[in-house]
Amino acid sequence: MAEDSYRYGATIETAMARGGDNFSLIRHCLAAAVVVSHAFSVGTGIGADEPLHATTGFSLGEHAVNGFFAVSGFLVTMSFMRRGPLDYVVARALRIAPALVAAVLLCAFVMGPLLTQLSPGDYFRDPMLWRFVQATLTTLKSTAPLPGVFEDNPFRFALGTVWTLKYEIACYVLVLAIGMAGVLRRRTLVLAGVIALAAASLLLDFLYPEAGKGQQTAIRLPLIFMTGSLLFLYRDRVRLGLLLLAVLAFAVWLAAGTPLYRTLLFVTQAYGVLWFALAVPPLLRRPPRADLSYGLYLYGWPVQQVLFGFFPQIAAWAMIGPALVLSALVAALSWYLVEQPALALKGRLMLTARRSSAAA
């Protein structure tokens, strides 16, 4: 009986009611996968220089980002449905903004002056410095360089992973908008939206298979995010079964080399990561107290840029270990000094907002 439940799956709702999950483990593993993936491209300047890219069409880092968006879609939708728009906005802002601002300022005013080839005066007078701060914080541009920093590296930019945050924030805003409009409570409308995104992904691959990365990503990430959201909304109907996951994976394998491949891959990844999060018994007895996943994601790139700058002959495989250790140390500082204190403000901000609302 237990074996049948594992194979054919309990519903997502039943799996959630059991208590315990692998979400924290998944987030940390996905962040580490991004660091591992970048070890291959930091030294060459070619994003496709990564073993998995040749066989799947995507690097390990891109697969990890897909997993992040599936998890985020599921958990963020749950947050809105259970806690309402005010709590949702405060929680999302405190989770994303403080660590991002700290990372930008740390790179611009600590790492940059220490590593630049310019004199301190020239560095701080250079308009490129202020463009880096402005562009990274306002448009989440990940290709902005710092003056005189990483000039001999294949990639010059200091925060190469922040570009995904604009898609993440756009998806947050989408959930807020359709949630406040009541669409999330009419899940068939969300299903129709996900079908439309999947159709757009298919049409792009049928009609423009050589479309640019930007066009593909603009459909890919919202599709995966909203698939995660849809799985939460249909949690009483969707079953998390190993058999279904195997069927989906087999369909992806059969579709390789066809226009169906990418869309099937994205949907399967969203289902697979949530299957692992909820259907597999918790692999950690206690979730870690510190959530280093966001810090790992933000700081893995600048740490690897620094490593390559000092050791330009280092092999990709040799960089992985030191990069993970150093990135985890910086991520821990980010958690304890920035992220955790920021999240602790949530209760105060919510209380102030409720008092203001009551007074009004």
Side-chain angles (χ1 to χ4, degrees), residues 2-19:
E3 184 180 346
D4 286 345
S5 176
Y6 180 72
R7 183 182 303 160
Y8 300 110
T11 63
I12 293 175
E13 190 170 56
T14 301
M16 293 171 66
R18 292 172 183 160

Side-chain angles (χ1 to χ4, degrees), residues 234-321:
Y234 278 90
R235 61 194 179 279
D236 61 323
R237 302 282 295 275
V238 176
R239 292 185 174 275
L240 295 171
L242 185 60
L243 183 60
L244 176 56
L245 180 59
V247 170
L248 287 171
F250 185 64
V252 171
W253 180 75
L254 288 178
T258 75
L260 297 174
Y261 170 71
R262 291 177 181 171
T263 304
L264 277 174
L265 174 67
F266 304 153
V267 173
T268 300
Q269 286 179 319
Y271 180 84
V273 75
L274 291 170
W275 172 85
F276 186 81
L278 294 166
V280 175
L283 299 180
L284 300 177
R285 292 184 179 180
R286 296 179 183 177
R289 294 182 180 180
D291 185 351
L292 306 186
S293 57
Y294 188 30
L296 271 173
Y297 185 77
L298 282 177
Y299 290 105
W301 181 272
V303 164
Q304 287 171 302
Q305 285 280 72
V306 172
L307 283 172
F308 186 82
F310 280 105
F311 306 102
Q313 303 302 320
I314 190 171
W317 291 105
M319 184 190 288
I320 292 172

Side-chain angles (χ1 to χ4, degrees), residues 28 31-32 35 106 290-304 307 320-339:
H28 284 85
V35 177
L106 184 64
D291 185 351
L292 306 186
S293 57
Y294 188 30
L296 271 173
Y297 185 77
L298 282 177
Y299 290 105
W301 181 272
V303 164
Q304 287 171 302
L307 283 172
I320 292 172
L324 285 172
V325 171
L326 292 173
S327 300
L329 290 174
V330 181
L333 292 174
S334 174
W335 172 256
Y336 287 111
L337 298 180
V338 179
E339 297 168 60

Side-chain angles (χ1 to χ4, degrees), residues 119-314:
S119 68
D122 289 342
Y123 177 82
F124 285 106
R125 283 191 297 267
D126 197 311
M128 187 184 294
L129 169 63
W130 309 105
R131 282 199 298 268
F132 167 81
V133 175
Q134 183 269 334
T136 310
L137 289 179
T138 58
T139 63
L140 298 169
K141 186 177 181 179
S142 62
T143 57
L146 286 168
V149 179
F150 304 137
E151 288 197 338
D152 298 323
N153 288 19
F155 289 121
R156 285 198 57 200
F157 34 94
L159 280 172
T161 56
V162 298
W163 67 271
T164 61
L165 296 182
K166 63 187 174 188
Y167 293 102
E168 183 88 1
I169 293 169
C171 289
Y172 290 167
V173 173
L174 175 61
V175 168
L176 177 65
I178 65 176
M180 294 187 71
V183 173
L184 288 178
R185 299 193 180 279
R186 301 178 64 184
R187 60 189 185 182
T188 53
L189 295 178
V190 180
L191 174 61
V194 172
I195 292 173
L197 282 170
S201 177
L202 286 169
L203 281 174
L204 186 67
D205 286 336
F206 269 104
L207 301 177
Y208 305 104
E210 302 304 321
K213 206 73 170 179
Q215 291 173 289
Q216 295 175 11
T217 303
I219 298 175
R220 163 186 143 226
L221 296 183
L223 170 60
I224 296 170
F225 184 97
M226 291 309 299
T227 300
S229 177
L230 188 69
L231 289 172
F232 174 77
L233 296 176
Y234 278 90
R235 61 194 179 279
D236 61 323
R237 302 282 295 275
V238 176
R239 292 185 174 275
L240 295 171
L242 185 60
L243 183 60
L244 176 56
L245 180 59
V247 170
L248 287 171
F250 185 64
V252 171
W253 180 75
L254 288 178
T258 75
L260 297 174
Y261 170 71
R262 291 177 181 171
T263 304
L264 277 174
L265 174 67
F266 304 153
V267 173
T268 300
Q269 286 179 319
Y271 180 84
V273 75
L274 291 170
W275 172 85
F276 186 81
L278 294 166
V280 175
L283 299 180
L284 300 177
R285 292 184 179 180
R286 296 179 183 177
R289 294 182 180 180
D291 185 351
L292 306 186
S293 57
Y294 188 30
L296 271 173
Y297 185 77
L298 282 177
Y299 290 105
W301 181 272
V303 164
Q304 287 171 302
Q305 285 280 72
V306 172
L307 283 172
F308 186 82
F310 280 105
F311 306 102
Q313 303 302 320
I314 190 171

